[in-house]
């Protein structure tokens, strides 16, 4: 049995707990939280909830630690720190900062002999793989990625960290005309702003400066600065009533050509429609935890991304079973 630890018990951590329950080759060893452990109730009988300060006491009892923090401030610190003691998985999703995060984790992981898998989820993650496969198959072409309509956990978390914000949800919305043009094979040149809009629903703390909060959101680099962004200030009750779900999804599309004179047109499209963004992301993290465990057992170490993992490492089935059932 692969012994799993979960660091952070929000929506993503709860999703990992559910995914571990569905995996016959995994068991949950412990959940670690920065909150008072006595205030955190988990679903798994017999698994303790522990203070994050005590995590190193479990160094020999956990095969893979799945880190469920946010990309803005948690993961850049936590992943390189904990890969010194555990094989770790994170869902770091600030695309522009992935190279630096990779370098930081790689250095620490090679020093410890552990595996640190970063940016695992559906984008980056599953979408990244489909972009790579499509580029390899159709080298003459163009890539397009559309997200939504759905709630972005990372962007919502970034808003909640702004001073004066009590709660928030952010929806990423594809621009319909741009999506249709891509599907038609028109291969348009689209700017970031032409592909998506962002809509934010924000609960402000009493007395907070709403104009300052809106300005900080719209000017936030890597998150909102390059998009047409709308900010709505609403009550907590409205947020709970109308925005309590966490759906998401999107499309990876490559438009390409084959033939001696590129005379034949092809469209590759991969779609996700997710009822629960965090639960699906957690399921991807859990599958890659299996891969991290197996790869480290074979002597591999360092930082890895979805590109470095052979599909067979992700599956409970043996190679023989995979060849018989899925090939």
């Amino acid at each position: 049995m692969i012994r799993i630890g979960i660091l952070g018990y929000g929506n993503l951590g709860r999703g990992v707990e559910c995914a571990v329950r569905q995996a016959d080759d995994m068991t949950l060893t412990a959940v670690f939280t920065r909150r008072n452990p006595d205030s955190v109730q988990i679903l798994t009988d017999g698994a303790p909830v522990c203070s994050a300060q005590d995590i190193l006491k479990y160094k020999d009892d956990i095969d893979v630690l799945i880190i469920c923090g946010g990309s803005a401030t948690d993961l850049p610190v936590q992943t390189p720190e904990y890969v010194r003691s555990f094989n770790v998985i994170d869902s770091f999703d600030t695309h522009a900062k992935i190279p630096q995060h990779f370098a930081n984790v790689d250095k620490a992981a090679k020093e410890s002999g552990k595996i640190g898998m970063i940016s695992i989820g559906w984008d980056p993650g599953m979408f990244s793989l489909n972009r790579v496969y499509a580029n390899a198959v159709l080298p003459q072409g163009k890539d397009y990625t559309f997200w939504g309509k759905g709630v972005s956990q990372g962007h919502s978390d970034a808003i909640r960290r702004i001073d004066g914000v009590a709660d928030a949800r952010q929806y990423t919305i594809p621009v319909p005309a741009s999506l249709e043009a891509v599907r038609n094979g028109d291969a348009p040149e689209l700017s970031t702003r032409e592909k998506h809009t962002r809509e934010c629903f924000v609960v402000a703390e009493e007395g907070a400066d709403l104009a300052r909060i809106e300005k900080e959101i719209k000017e936030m680099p890597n998150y909102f600065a390059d998009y047409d962004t709308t900010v709505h200030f609403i009550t907590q009750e409205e947020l709970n009533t109308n925005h309590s779900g966490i759906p998401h999804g999107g499309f990876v599309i490559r438009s390409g050509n084959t033939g001696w004179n590129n005379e034949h047109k092809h469209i590759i499209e991969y779609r996700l429609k997710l009822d629960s963004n965090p639960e699906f992301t957690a399921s991807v993290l859990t599958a890659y935890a299996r891969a991290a465990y197996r790869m480290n057992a074979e002597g591999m170490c360092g930082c890895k991304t979805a590109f470095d993992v052979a599909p067979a490492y992700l599956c409970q089935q043996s190679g023989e079973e995979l060849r018989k059932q899925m090939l």
Side-chain angles (χ1 to χ4, degrees):
M1 298 291 283
I2 303 171
R3 300 170 297 175
I4 301 294
I6 299 172
L7 176 59
Y9 196 69
N11 292 321
L12 187 58
R14 284 189 288 273
V16 170
E17 182 184 19
C18 294
V20 169
R21 182 173 184 257
Q22 294 182 350
D24 295 335
D25 59 344
M26 293 184 179
T27 185
L28 179 62
T29 298
V31 171
F32 302 93
T33 179
R34 290 179 291 194
R35 290 177 278 170
N36 178 355
D38 294 335
S39 70
V40 178
Q41 299 295 318
I42 67 172
L43 302 172
T44 305
D45 292 335
V49 179
C50 308
S51 170
Q53 295 179 348
D54 295 330
I55 195 169
L56 294 184
K57 296 178 181 179
Y58 288 78
K59 183 176 180 179
D60 297 326
D61 301 316
I62 290 173
D63 295 313
V64 185
L65 179 68
I66 302 179
I67 305 177
C68 300
S71 297
T73 59
D74 293 333
L75 299 180
V77 175
Q78 291 175 337
T79 307
E81 176 182 355
Y82 290 117
V83 79
R84 297 186 182 278
S85 303
F86 304 94
N87 296 310
V88 301
I89 311 286
D90 79 20
S91 57
F92 186 81
D93 66 355
T94 307
H95 292 261
K97 295 184 178 181
I98 287 176
Q100 184 59 54
H101 187 51
F102 182 97
N104 294 340
V105 175
D106 192 51
K107 181 177 184 297
K110 286 178 176 175
E111 290 173 355
S112 67
K114 300 293 186 180
I115 292 277
M117 286 198 186
I118 67 162
S119 302
I120 299 299
W122 58 274
D123 198 3
M126 303 302 292
F127 272 16
S128 312
L129 288 174
N130 281 274
R131 284 189 285 266
V132 165
Y133 287 136
N135 270 262
V137 173
L138 295 176
Q140 298 295 319
K142 291 183 179 179
D143 289 312
Y144 302 90
T145 303
F146 294 92
W147 302 282
K149 178 181 179 181
V151 174
S152 169
Q153 296 175 96
H155 287 70
S156 299
D157 180 67
I159 297 173
R160 286 193 290 269
R161 292 172 185 268
I162 294 174
D163 185 45
V165 173
D167 203 351
R169 294 289 186 279
Q170 188 262 244
Y171 292 87
T172 302
I173 306 169
V175 175
S178 298
L179 179 58
E180 188 63 26
V182 170
R183 282 179 166 159
N184 288 338
D186 297 340
E189 294 290 343
L190 298 173
S191 67
T192 297
R193 195 174 300 274
E194 289 173 323
K195 289 191 290 185
H196 298 90
T197 59
R198 297 196 180 276
E199 191 167 14
C200 310
F201 294 86
V202 180
V203 180
E205 295 176 354
E206 187 175 352
D209 185 340
L210 303 187
R212 173 189 58 78
I213 292 172
E214 181 172 359
K215 184 174 186 292
E216 285 193 35
I217 293 172
K218 290 184 174 181
E219 295 179 357
M220 190 182 298
N222 301 316
Y223 285 88
F224 298 100
D226 296 329
Y227 300 86
D228 290 333
T229 301
T230 305
V231 178
H232 307 277
F233 289 100
I234 62 175
T235 66
Q236 187 70 59
E237 183 180 8
E238 288 177 285
L239 190 78
N240 295 343
T241 301
N242 300 323
H243 306 283
S244 59
I246 315 179
H248 216 325
F251 313 85
V252 173
I253 302 171
R254 183 162 179 82
S255 173
N257 297 82
T258 61
W260 190 253
N261 296 306
N262 289 333
E263 62 267 28
H264 297 125
K265 185 185 298 184
H266 309 277
I267 302 291
I268 299 174
E269 180 172 341
Y270 175 76
R271 181 188 182 188
L272 290 176
K273 185 178 181 182
L274 311 178
D275 197 33
S276 171
N277 182 358
E279 288 185 6
F280 185 83
T281 300
S283 295
V284 182
L285 287 168
T286 304
Y288 276 86
R290 179 181 295 110
Y293 171 76
R294 291 175 172 175
M295 292 167 69
N296 190 241
E298 292 179 5
M300 298 183 219
C301 67
C303 191
K304 308 294 180 183
T305 71
F307 299 149
D308 304 303
V309 180
Y313 282 113
L314 302 172
C315 303
Q316 293 187 54
Q317 296 95 327
S318 67
E320 182 181 7
E321 289 171 327
L322 290 173
R323 289 186 292 274
K324 182 179 180 180
Q325 299 169 7
M326 299 192 185
L327 190 58

